[in-house]
Amino acid sequence: MELSEDKIVSVFKALCDENRISILKLLRSGEKCACKLLDELNVTQPTLSHHMKILCDSGIVVGRKEGKWMHYSISAEGSKAAVDLLKELTFACKNEDKSCCEK
C-alpha cells in the first residue's frame, strides 16, 4: 500500500484527539445517528461535525444521510487500511525472506 503523505496524516490526525477516540468507541457497537452521538458526547453540533469530517476524510468512518440526520459507522475497509498503514510505517523490512534487514 503506497499512500501519499497527506493521506497518512489524515489517518493519524483522526486518531489523535480524545473526542474522536470517544466517537470511535461509540461506533464500535454499530451505526449511530449524529443525534445519538450528540447525546453521548459533551460537544456542540458544529464541533461534532468537525470531528466527523476528520474521521470521514481519513476513511475510518463513513456517513450516510437519512432525512435531516447523518448516520455514521466504522468502515471495515478504512480501519483495515489504517492498521496496514501503521504496519507499513513501522516495520523496517517488507520482504518475506528478511534479507533486506541484514546489515
Side-chain angles (χ1 to χ4, degrees):
M1 168 177 47
E2 192 64 35
L3 292 175
S4 70
E5 281 77 10
D6 287 346
K7 184 62 178 175
I8 293 168
V9 168
S10 76
V11 168
F12 289 105
K13 179 179 181 179
L15 300 173
C16 72
D17 180 88
E18 291 177 12
N19 286 316
R20 291 191 286 274
I21 297 301
S22 295
I23 291 166
L24 289 173
K25 286 180 175 181
L26 290 169
L27 294 177
R28 287 187 301 186
S29 62
E31 183 180 78
K32 299 275 187 298
C33 176
C35 61
K36 295 292 184 196
L37 294 173
L38 282 170
D39 287 345
E40 295 289 328
L41 302 167
N42 190 25
V43 297
T44 64
Q45 188 278 325
T47 299
L48 177 65
S49 292
H50 169 75
H51 288 305
M52 297 317 298
K53 178 174 179 3
I54 291 170
L55 286 165
C56 289
D57 287 350
S58 75
I60 297 171
V61 170
V62 292
R64 67 175 184 84
K65 190 164 179 78
E66 185 177 303
K68 69 175 189 168
W69 291 104
M70 287 294 292
H71 295 257
Y72 297 99
S73 59
I74 293 175
S75 164
E77 182 180 304
S79 61
K80 181 186 179 317
V83 168
D84 291 345
L85 174 61
L86 180 60
K87 286 179 184 176
E88 183 177 322
L89 287 172
T90 57
F91 289 117
C93 185
K94 296 179 188 175
N95 293 343
E96 290 297 320
D97 65 6
K98 307 292 186 220
S99 62
C100 67
C101 297
E102 296 173 6
K103 294 184 179 191

